[in-house]
């Protein structure tokens, strides 16, 4: 892999922060070292002294005075060592990436902790995209991704998809305008990457099949582009066994994978992690050194202690409990949809995630219905046009989330919606 061709001039120009490097050296140094170097604040001035956090099983996580001093202080940019170690073991257990034992110069798997996966994604985009670059994704797509990409001035090329995710033949057709060897010629402007949410896609709830992933990965090899595997709903797959990931297929070191604890531990803790080729992860870490410095030490320590207390088996048992909850929520929304929207709308049953993508029949554009009339009836949903590159284009779709509402609330919401649809037809 020639990683240099994927880097923007800004990313390539990043250099290690001397102060950050000194700070990380101090963290690892023995207590006998006398530091007059870093500007770390004196922990005796921190007003917080101890903490006890109780988990759902009644156990506690203790922050004594020494631990609290560490939790409230600066820490390593890539993540605290014990959390990084646990996450690396998890990625090997779940995905067994072929690159785990590669030399660091040849795409060896590395990992860093980010302030949620959105933070990691933004840094990946800014690392790779020059104005005018071609990037691939499948509409409809998570609006946060569009809001991150559009200001960067890239050409976003839509790859057609259906209820089983990206259609490989559509991707082949788009790529056929280039020759495979064109990737070596910067003037040919071959696509930099393909972005996809492979499981429980936001907003559609669709998931990519294993066979399609294999075809897509081979096309990435042929035309030499990266795959950004944004997988925040990986741990919310309703059916087992879970499909193999792009990371598990990555023999070249061309997959950058973002994971999140937001959906299974806490969204407010802001803990995500990026896995990918060491050369590219290092660029992300250099960006973090001058941006966030590092993800919150306190929340990293809290999550690390919980994960070590649970172990991998306990963590996956918790994931199963979370899946059971969201499966029941999904089923309740489907019951309400069948009861009130049959004949008025159509949808596919999601296999992962938190969303159902619903098409209202007979209404060309539902934006006014969802954004004005539904709000007056005290029901909130997201109109489909918010998930397209051209958000002004009409759409008959809307996104309904089943994460928060109770089954009773879902029933009332779709009853009110059905009344509005009938009035609008």
């Amino acid at each position: 892999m020639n990683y240099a061709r994927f880097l923007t001039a800004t990313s390539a120009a990043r250099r290690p922060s001397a102060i950050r490097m000194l700070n990380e050296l101090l963290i690892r140094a023995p207590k006998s070292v006398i530091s007059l170097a870093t500007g770390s604040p004196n922990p005796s001035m921190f007003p917080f002294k101890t903490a006890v956090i109780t988990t759902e099983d009644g156990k506690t996580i203790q922050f004594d005075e020494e631990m609290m001093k560490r939790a409230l202080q600066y820490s390593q940019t890539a993540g605290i060592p014990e959390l990084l170690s646990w996450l690396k073991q998890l990625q090997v257990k779940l995905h067994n990436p072929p690159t785990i034992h590669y030399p660091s110069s040849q795409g060896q798997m590395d990992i860093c902790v980010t302030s949620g996966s959105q933070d990691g994604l933004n840094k990946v985009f800014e690392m790779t995209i020059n104005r005018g670059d071609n990037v691939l994704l499948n509409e409809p797509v998570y609006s946060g991704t569009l809001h991150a990409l559009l200001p960067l001035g890239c050409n976003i090329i839509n790859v057609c998809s259906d209820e089983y995710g990206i259609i490989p033949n559509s991707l082949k057709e788009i790529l056929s305008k280039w020759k495979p060897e064109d990737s070596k010629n910067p003037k040919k402007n071959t696509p930099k990457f393909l972005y996809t949410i492979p499981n429980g896609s936001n907003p559609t709830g669709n998931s990519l099949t294993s066979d399609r992933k294999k075809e897509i990965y081979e096309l990435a090899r042929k035309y030499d582009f990266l795959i950004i595997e944004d997988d925040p709903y990986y741990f919310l797959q309703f059916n087992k066994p879970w499909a193999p990931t792009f990371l598990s297929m990555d023999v070249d070191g061309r997959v950058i994978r973002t994971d999140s604890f937001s959906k299974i531990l806490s969204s407010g803790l802001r803990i995500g992690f990026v896995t990918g080729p060491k050369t590219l992860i290092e660029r992300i870490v250099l960006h973090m050194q001058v941006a966030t410095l590092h993800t919150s030490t306190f929340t990293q320590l809290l999550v690390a202690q919980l994960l070590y207390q649970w172990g991998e088996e306990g963590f996956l048992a918790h994931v199963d409990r979370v899946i059971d909850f969201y499966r029941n929520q999904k089923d309740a929304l489907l019951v309400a949809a069948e009861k009130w929207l049959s004949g008025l709308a159509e949808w596919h049953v999601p296999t992962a995630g938190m969303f159902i993508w619903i098409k209202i029949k007979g209404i060309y554009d539902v934006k006014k219905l969802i954004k004005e009339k539904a709000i007056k009836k005290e029901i909130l949903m997201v109109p489909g046009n918010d998930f397209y590159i051209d958000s002004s284009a009409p759409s008959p779709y809307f996104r309904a989330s089943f994460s928060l509402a109770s089954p009773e609330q879902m029933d009332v919401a779709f009853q009110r919606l059905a009344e509005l649809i009938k009035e609008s037809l």
Side-chain angles (χ1 to χ4, degrees), residues 269-344:
L269 289 178
R270 306 312 300 136
I271 299 282
F273 46 109
V274 183
T275 309
K278 189 175 182 65
T279 303
L280 299 182
I281 296 297
E282 285 173 348
R283 293 287 113 191
I284 295 169
V285 172
L286 290 179
H287 190 168
M288 290 169 65
Q289 285 185 354
V290 295
T292 55
L293 299 190
H294 58 80
T295 302
S296 163
T297 316
F298 185 93
T299 58
Q300 286 190 76
L301 276 169
L302 178 60
V303 168
Q305 287 202 66
L306 178 67
L307 295 174
Y308 277 97
Q309 192 178 91
W310 274 345
E312 280 182 0
E313 192 176 320
F315 168 71
L316 293 172
H318 170 75
V319 167
D320 284 341
R321 290 193 293 275
V322 174
I323 290 170
D324 286 343
F325 172 81
Y326 286 109
R327 185 190 291 113
N328 290 336
Q329 290 288 101
K330 177 256 302 179
D331 291 345
L333 192 66
L334 289 171
V335 165
E338 287 287 347
K339 180 177 177 183
W340 298 109
L341 301 181
S342 287
L344 299 174

Side-chain angles (χ1 to χ4, degrees), residues 389-407:
I389 299 160
D390 179 6
S391 61
S392 65
S395 172
Y397 291 91
F398 71 92
R399 189 194 77 178
S401 170
F402 48 82
S403 61
L404 283 178
S406 68

Side-chain angles (χ1 to χ4, degrees), residues 6-162:
F6 294 108
L7 299 178
T8 62
T10 302
S11 184
R14 294 191 187 282
R15 296 291 177 263
S17 160
I19 299 297
R20 281 267 81 205
M21 302 306 284
L22 266 176
N23 197 71
E24 299 194 9
L25 179 66
L26 178 62
I27 291 168
R28 297 191 301 271
K31 291 193 184 303
S32 57
V33 169
I34 301 169
S35 173
L36 303 178
T38 70
S40 299
N42 194 304
S44 66
M45 293 294 97
F46 297 154
F48 310 100
K49 294 305 173 189
T50 63
V52 179
I53 292 97
T54 306
T55 55
E56 62 181 350
D57 55 7
K59 293 181 180 175
T60 60
I61 293 170
Q62 307 269 350
F63 282 76
D64 60 21
E65 286 199 32
E66 278 307 303
M67 179 70 84
M68 188 62 94
K69 284 177 183 178
R70 183 186 171 200
L72 300 177
Q73 190 56 277
Y74 292 124
S75 59
Q76 297 92 329
T77 298
I80 62 171
E82 56 265 57
L83 182 56
L84 283 175
S85 173
W86 203 96
L87 293 174
K88 280 182 180 177
Q89 289 175 24
L90 181 70
Q91 296 300 62
V92 171
K93 178 184 175 68
L94 295 176
H95 312 290
N96 193 24
T99 54
I100 188 68
H101 297 301
Y102 282 23
S104 60
S105 61
Q106 293 176 25
Q108 181 187 56
M109 186 201 97
D110 202 3
I111 195 165
C112 65
V113 179
T114 55
S115 299
S117 61
Q118 183 83 28
D119 174 47
L121 271 176
N122 268 286
K123 288 176 171 57
V124 171
F125 294 154
E126 292 190 18
M127 171 178 69
T128 54
I129 295 173
N130 292 300
R131 193 161 289 275
D133 280 348
N134 289 314
V135 301
L136 305 159
L137 53 72
N138 56 302
E139 291 182 304
V141 67
Y142 170 49
S143 56
T145 297
L146 292 175
H147 295 318
L149 288 175
L150 289 170
L152 298 177
C154 54
N155 302 317
I156 304 174
I157 302 170
N158 176 43
V159 186
C160 292
S161 58
D162 58 20

Side-chain angles (χ1 to χ4, degrees), residues 140-186:
V141 67
Y142 170 49
S143 56
T145 297
L146 292 175
H147 295 318
L149 288 175
L150 289 170
L152 298 177
C154 54
N155 302 317
I156 304 174
I157 302 170
N158 176 43
V159 186
C160 292
S161 58
D162 58 20
E163 63 180 298
Y164 305 108
I166 290 169
I167 301 168
N169 281 340
S170 173
L171 182 57
K172 274 183 199 169
E173 188 178 334
I174 289 165
L175 294 169
S176 67
K177 70 176 282 190
W178 291 279
K179 298 184 181 110
E181 58 269 24
D182 286 348
S183 64
K184 294 180 173 62
N185 183 352

